[in-house]
């Protein structure tokens, strides 16, 4: 986490930065503010600290000659998550984010050591939760859960304080005269106070997203940051294309919410979806891909003279020479009354550690029979007293990988009920009290259960393509290749220069590895299209 660079190593990277001098007491980094970049200490000492929920400063490390300051925020030019000041007079080599990315690529061995340290430092911040925003509210509040999920799935540190049990949180809301009904509130590192913010408002407050340059034209804009979109970003950026990735929720897509993926090539012991997608996110940033998350794309227009414009929900626009549709699918809702009343607090569409804590030592119901349902069942069984797995079909083995079926059958606290269908939900104030379901025999079972997990399939996220000219099949999936016209590239849509990959594409294999493969494959098609477009433009 804190390697020391030798004189020869420092000499190798001097060309990427500039020498700066600081007096004792000078601030080199301030939590919530964008800093100068990645800083290698040449002489002197720098103390790095974190503020806790009460504003007290806690020392993390003191950097001396050969040490370097920074974590993943410095890779993308985002606000710092820690504070740092010069304890003595300091001379340092300051490397801007763009130059840091160049360093990581040009100096492979040294870049690997630096990248590993940056990642480990972010992991350390995530484990303590400090350096990011503080959410004040109860753990089972649906909006608290929404905000915590957003920050967790975007790999951003945060703390949650319950005013019922935490004296600092209680003192804060009393000092600000905030009624319990007005919770949650969020205190950002820069001092701003937000009351039950949207994900976008919170993201702007902590510097996750910024304004998009309307004058810039990207080589490719990728809509969706799931496995397919992330793979396209990594390969396109590594091959020199200017890339912007947009997603309305977080990086990782549905795969990012998987508790454990055990059949992905190269990970014999399995890997969490979040860990896999976080690696891809860091890798894409290393090669220079830009991200705008959360940003909702609401429309696609073709520009006169060539290229495309993406219309965003906040009235911003993205101009690009080509587009990759990787928007995936949205979770399907259960077709019974009152589901929306309990979403967020009692009805869940993924099973992360946050949901695991909520249902610890309680019974839960999970509906579904695919791999996502199987992975969630295995995870929840390690947290809950009992998991009722309801499958509408006759045998989960017909739709779930065998290794998951075998594991579920070996779990004493999982009961599989086939031919079952949820019939009603009971509860008040957004909290479930009981769930009823009908079995294959017609018997209605009612149990006092507060948490329901739904993994019943998904529908394509293609509403934003309305009026764009991109052809869809009867179910709303994007048509590509020969389904569009003879001689069309296998991943190209009915609009030349617009490609579709991953789950959103009609006929695609709904697997993480398949999405990654299409993400890599589409880059060759992008190069061919962009070269053809340049030739056509030159001829005109």
């Amino acid at each position: 986490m804190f390697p020391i660079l030798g004189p020869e190593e420092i000499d190798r990277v001097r060309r990427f930065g500039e020498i700066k001098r600081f007096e004792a007491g000078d601030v080199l980094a301030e939590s919530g503010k964008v800093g100068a970049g990645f800083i290698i200490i040449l002489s002197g000492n720098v103390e790095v600290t974190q503020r806790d929920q009460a504003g007290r400063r806690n020392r993390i490390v003191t950097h001396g000659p050969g040490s370097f300051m920074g974590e993943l925020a410095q890779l993308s030019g985002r606000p710092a998550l820690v504070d740092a000041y010069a304890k003595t007079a300091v001379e340092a080599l300051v490397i801007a984010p763009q130059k840091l990315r160049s360093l990581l690529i040009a100096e492979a061995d040294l870049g690997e050591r630096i990248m590993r340290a940056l990642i480990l430092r972010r992991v350390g911040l995530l484990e303590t939760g400090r350096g990011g925003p503080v959410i004040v509210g109860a753990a089972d509040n649906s909006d608290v859960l929404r905000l915590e999920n957003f920050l967790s799935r975007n790999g951003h540190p945060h703390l949650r304080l319950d005013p019922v049990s935490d004296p600092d949180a209680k003192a804060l809301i009393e000092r600000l005269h905030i009624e319990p009904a007005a919770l949650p509130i969020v205190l950002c590192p820069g001092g701003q106070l937000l009351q039950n913010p949207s994900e976008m408002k919170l993201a702007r407050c902590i510097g996750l997203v910024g304004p998009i340059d309307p004058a810039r034209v990207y080589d490719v804009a990728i809509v969706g940051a799931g496995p397919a979109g992330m793979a396209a970003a990594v390969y396109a950026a590594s091959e020199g294309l200017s890339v912007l990735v947009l997603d309305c929720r977080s990086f990782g897509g549905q795969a990012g919410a998987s508790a454990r993926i055990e059949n992905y090539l190269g990970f014999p012991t399995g890997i969490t979806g979040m860990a896999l997608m976080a690696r891809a996110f860091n890798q894409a940033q290393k090669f220079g891909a830009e991200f705008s998350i959360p940003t909702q794309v609401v429309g696609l227009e073709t520009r006169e003279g060539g290229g495309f414009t993406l219309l965003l929900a906040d009235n911003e626009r993205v101009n690009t020479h080509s587009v990759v549709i990787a928007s995936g699918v949205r979770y399907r809702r259960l077709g019974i009354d009152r589901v929306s009343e309990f979403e967020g607090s009692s009805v869940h569409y993924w099973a992360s550690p946050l949901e695991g804590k909520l249902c610890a030592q309680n019974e839960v119901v999970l509906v579904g029979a695919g791999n996502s349902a199987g992975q969630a069942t295995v995870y929840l069984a390690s947290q809950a007293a009992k998991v009722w797995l309801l499958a509408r079909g006759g045998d989960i083995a017909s739709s779930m990988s065998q290794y998951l079926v075998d594991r579920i059958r070996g779990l004493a606290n999982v009961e599989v009920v086939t031919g079952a269908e949820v019939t009603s939900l009971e509860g008040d104030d957004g909290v479930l009290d009981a769930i009823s379901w009908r079995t294959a025999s017609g018997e209605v079972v009612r149990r006092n259960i507060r948490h329901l997990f739904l993994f019943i399939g998904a529908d394509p996220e293609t509403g934003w393509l309305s009026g764009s000219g991109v052809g869809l099949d009867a179910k709303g999936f994007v048509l590509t290749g020969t389904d569009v016209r003879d001689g069309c590239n296998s991943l190209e849509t009915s609009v030349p220069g617009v490609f579709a990959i991953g789950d959103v594409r009609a006929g695609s294999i709904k697997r993480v590895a398949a999405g990654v493969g299409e993400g890599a494959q589409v880059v060759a098609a992008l190069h061919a299209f962009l070269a053809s477009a340049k030739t056509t433009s030159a001829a005109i």
Side-chain angles (χ1 to χ4, degrees), residues 379-400:
Y379 171 69
L380 290 172
S382 69
Q383 306 291 316
K386 181 169 184 175
V387 179
W388 294 86
L389 175 56
L390 308 186
R392 288 179 289 184
D395 185 3
I396 59 173
S398 64
S399 55
M400 189 182 295

Side-chain angles (χ1 to χ4, degrees), residues 141-161:
N141 179 289
S142 61
D143 286 310
V144 169
L145 194 59
R146 169 179 61 84
L147 295 172
E148 281 201 277
N149 262 313
F150 167 71
L151 292 167
S152 295
R153 292 193 61 183
N154 281 289
H156 200 85
H158 65 280
L159 282 175
R160 180 189 57 77
L161 303 178

